[in-house]
Amino acid sequence: MKKISPLKRFFIIIFLLMFYPLFIAIISILLRYSFFILIIITLIILFLIIRAIYKRKQKIKLFNLLNKNNSSTDEMIQIYSSISDELLIELTIKEELKKINFNNNRYLKSVMKKKVIVTIIFSLINFLFLASIFFHFPSYKYILEIINIIIYIIFMKKFNNISAIKKEIEARPTENMSYIISSMVTGNTVHYNGSIINIFIIAISCILPIFIFFNPHILYEKVDGGYYVRFYTAGITNYETVTIPETYKNEKVIGIRGNVFKDMIFLKEVNLPDTIEIIRGSAFKNCQSLVQIELPPLIKEIKGNTFEGCSSLERIEIPEGVTRIGGHAFYGCSSLSEVIIPKTLEEIGSSAFRKCNSLYNITIPRKTQVNQRSFKESPTQISYFNDNTWDNTNVNNSSVGEYTLYLNRKLRINSEINLMLTKFDDTTHDEKIFVGMSGTIKIITKNNTYYFDFQTSTPQIYKYNFEGYTLEIKSGMNDHIKVRLS
């Protein structure tokens, strides 16, 4: 088996490290369409194997023939007739090259030139692709790089000494083959290994984007009244925290364009200046690690898809003055358990809080128009406030007054009551078993703070009365319990 040189081995390791998002994308695509892709890949592999076996058998036959001095004329005719003209010419060229001691470490200048040109084109595309990673393109677009690599491999295999000589022979059919090969090789070859040059060019295309985007960059767009943030490139030094300055070129930063932080899967915290007046749609879409963000006080609307797919976001406070929450604004925010709504809110769009699995309660103005799909597939109970008068309506028609408390997460019931599970111990780890739970629930009201130390073993303490309310433990498991407030 041919050994891989240390230089090539080093390059392969660097290549794998650089292209880890590409491999993640491939894995995600395979998982999504695994059955169909598996069939396609299997068929391609079978085709390549059969083709390789067929070609290998042809070559073995011909080599055996060439090395067999006592072959009969009939055997010669039979073997030659079974081999394609293309393969026959290829093997003849190899024999001629052996005669003049032309080894594999030498390249025709024309071949070397083509290989370098192809490598430069590939490297330019590769540079653009790697740069796009810092612009946090969605992972499925990485399939373009796969196509780029496949095309590069095809062309690099296509441009070789044998192919170049074969092409010249076909262009000069009346001349002697040995003479053509000798004339092409003499004074028209390079004696250095061209693969080192190609590896160097590709390595530059991989290293240069890292050097350029080593630190985060903010790209601005000039508008009336100041600047918008147009693009944000995630740097290697800091890809978890984003801080936008108040000014740029002595003018205010007043807006954020759509998709600016989209698909930044490692982003955890965003700090925005109070000068921001507008945040366009999908600005933080699919920021799966985003936990904390404080919205600027001057914005008037949460645009559609702004926080869609932010599965780690636990709490959001909508500032006073916001009149509308657009469609899909918080779609799929599965960890979102607390949303503070302003009294100025007038409309909640379609699927705005859809699939918010932890949002059990939300309080909105009575005047707010709620789309019938705003809380679809969410266990959310809506409370309306109007002059200190409360009216509870459950969106999904679940039992009124039942809530799920998660460990160390505050749940706002209404303006008067907040609940928090501060301690919890579950010995059974089975939600169907009531006995074996213990812990503490912190109850915060306008007038006082209470601590309910419950335990469901014998003797059972699972009810607590305060200020005319009764809090009852219903079930629990691991890090959460279900309670009923009546």
Side-chain angles (χ1 to χ4, degrees):
M1 187 175 179
K2 189 177 179 180
K3 292 184 178 180
I4 301 174
S5 65
L7 180 62
K8 288 185 178 180
R9 198 180 302 125
F10 173 76
F11 176 71
I12 290 169
I13 294 171
I14 295 298
F15 186 85
L16 292 173
L17 291 174
M18 285 298 304
F19 284 83
Y20 76 93
L22 176 62
F23 301 131
I24 292 173
I26 293 171
I27 291 170
S28 64
I29 292 170
L30 288 173
L31 290 175
R32 187 179 298 178
Y33 307 106
S34 56
F35 177 73
F36 299 103
I37 290 179
L38 185 62
I39 292 175
I40 293 170
I41 291 174
T42 304
L43 292 174
I44 292 172
I45 291 173
L46 285 174
F47 171 75
L48 294 174
I49 290 173
I50 293 170
R51 185 167 175 266
I53 291 172
Y54 174 74
K55 282 193 171 185
R56 182 172 178 81
K57 282 184 177 180
Q58 280 191 317
K59 288 183 179 180
I60 290 172
K61 281 184 180 180
L62 189 55
F63 277 121
N64 289 337
L65 174 65
L66 294 172
N67 295 324
K68 189 176 180 182
N69 297 322
N70 59 349
S71 298
S72 65
T73 305
D74 292 337
E75 285 179 325
M76 297 276 288
I77 293 171
Q78 182 181 0
I79 294 175
Y80 271 111
S81 63
S82 66
I83 296 172
S84 65
D85 293 339
E86 184 180 346
L87 181 59
L88 189 60
I89 293 172
E90 180 181 330
L91 291 171
T92 304
I93 292 171
K94 287 183 178 179
E95 286 298 316
E96 290 293 330
L97 290 174
K98 282 183 181 179
K99 291 178 182 179
I100 59 177
N101 296 321
F102 188 89
N103 56 50
N104 294 329
N105 292 326
R106 296 165 64 186
Y107 286 91
L108 295 172
K109 289 181 180 179
S110 59
V111 173
M112 189 64 197
K113 184 179 178 181
K114 288 179 180 179
K115 282 181 174 287
V116 172
I117 291 173
V118 170
T119 301
I120 291 172
I121 295 172
F122 166 78
S123 298
L124 288 173
I125 298 173
N126 182 59
F127 169 80
L128 294 175
F129 165 74
L130 291 177
S132 72
I133 293 177
F134 294 96
F135 284 88
H136 36 90
F137 275 23
S139 58
Y140 66 84
K141 291 186 179 179
Y142 294 165
I143 195 73
L144 297 174
E145 179 66 4
I146 300 177
I147 297 172
N148 184 33
I149 294 171
I150 292 172
I151 292 174
Y152 175 69
I153 293 172
I154 291 172
F155 273 93
M156 290 299 284
K157 286 184 174 294
K158 180 180 178 181
F159 297 138
N160 56 69
N161 293 330
I162 303 296
S163 298
I165 295 172
K166 190 193 301 182
K167 187 176 180 181
E168 188 68 20
I169 291 171
E170 291 172 354
R172 299 155 63 180
T174 58
E175 297 184 35
N176 181 273
M177 185 183 295
S178 298
Y179 173 75
I180 294 172
I181 295 172
S182 177
S183 63
M184 287 187 68
V185 171
T186 305
N188 191 35
T189 59
V190 291
H191 296 268
Y192 52 84
N193 192 339
S195 61
I196 295 177
I197 298 175
N198 296 328
I199 289 172
F200 177 76
I201 295 171
I202 295 173
I204 291 296
S205 74
C206 294
I207 295 170
L208 196 58
I210 298 176
F211 178 78
I212 294 173
F213 299 103
F214 191 73
N215 294 313
H217 293 277
I218 304 173
L219 306 179
Y220 296 92
E221 176 187 354
K222 185 71 175 72
V223 295
D224 293 338
Y227 282 92
Y228 275 18
V229 176
R230 187 66 189 89
F231 294 107
Y232 183 89
T233 63
I236 295 176
T237 56
N238 183 10
Y239 47 83
E240 294 185 349
T241 304
V242 168
T243 300
I244 304 298
E246 289 189 358
T247 60
Y248 176 70
K249 292 185 177 179
N250 296 322
E251 293 192 53
K252 291 182 179 180
V253 178
I254 60 173
I256 296 175
R257 286 292 185 192
N259 304 309
V260 170
F261 304 102
K262 182 181 177 183
D263 296 311
M264 289 184 64
I265 59 175
F266 300 110
L267 181 62
K268 293 182 179 181
E269 182 180 344
V270 178
N271 300 301
L272 301 177
D274 291 344
T275 55
I276 297 290
E277 299 175 4
I278 187 167
I279 300 175
R280 296 292 184 187
S282 301
F284 300 95
K285 186 176 180 180
N286 293 333
C287 292
Q288 301 171 11
S289 302
L290 183 62
V291 176
Q292 180 178 346
I293 182 171
E294 186 175 338
L295 296 176
L298 298 179
I299 62 173
K300 303 299 179 185
E301 181 181 356
I302 307 296
K303 300 286 185 178
N305 309 95
T306 300
F307 295 98
E308 180 179 348
C310 295
S311 54
S312 298
L313 186 64
E314 299 179 354
R315 182 184 184 276
I316 191 78
E317 183 171 351
I318 313 298
E320 288 291 335
V322 172
T323 58
R324 184 177 184 273
I325 297 176
H328 293 74
F330 296 93
Y331 185 110
C333 293
S334 54
S335 298
L336 187 64
S337 60
E338 184 179 7
V339 180
I340 308 300
I341 299 293
K343 294 181 180 180
T344 54
L345 187 66
E346 298 176 359
E347 181 186 353
I348 299 178
S350 175
S351 300
F353 293 95
R354 187 172 182 174
K355 292 187 178 180
C356 293
N357 302 328
S358 301
L359 187 61
Y360 290 94
N361 182 267
I362 193 171
T363 303
I364 64 175
R366 189 177 294 275
K367 66 178 181 180
T368 303
Q369 296 180 6
V370 181
N371 186 282
Q372 62 181 357
R373 291 187 294 272
S374 294
F375 296 90
K376 189 175 181 180
E377 299 177 75
S378 297
T380 311
Q381 175 177 297
I382 295 180
S383 296
Y384 299 99
F385 55 88
N386 184 17
D387 298 329
N388 296 323
T389 302
W390 291 85
D391 177 22
N392 294 323
T393 304
N394 190 275
V395 176
N396 293 324
N397 298 319
S398 60
S399 300
V400 175
E402 288 194 359
Y403 305 94
T404 299
L405 301 181
Y406 288 87
L407 191 62
N408 295 321
R409 291 187 188 178
K410 185 171 69 172
L411 177 65
R412 183 182 181 187
I413 305 300
N414 53 43
S415 62
E416 297 178 351
I417 302 172
N418 290 276
L419 302 177
M420 180 185 291
L421 180 64
T422 58
K423 293 180 182 179
F424 184 55
D425 184 27
D426 176 26
T427 59
T428 63
H429 303 289
D430 189 338
E431 198 162 10
K432 295 180 181 180
I433 301 177
F434 183 73
V435 177
M437 297 182 297
S438 62
T440 302
I441 298 175
K442 185 179 180 180
I443 305 168
I444 307 168
T445 68
K446 284 186 175 181
N447 303 319
N448 214 331
T449 299
Y450 306 91
Y451 292 90
F452 171 26
D453 296 318
F454 65 90
Q455 60 97 4
T456 58
S457 302
T458 305
Q460 295 181 349
I461 305 173
Y462 61 92
K463 287 186 180 181
Y464 186 77
N465 298 316
F466 67 97
E467 298 183 9
Y469 292 94
T470 299
L471 185 65
E472 180 182 355
I473 308 297
K474 303 297 292 183
S475 63
M477 185 175 69
N478 296 337
D479 65 341
H480 69 276
I481 62 170
K482 292 184 178 180
V483 299
R484 179 177 178 83
L485 185 66
S486 57

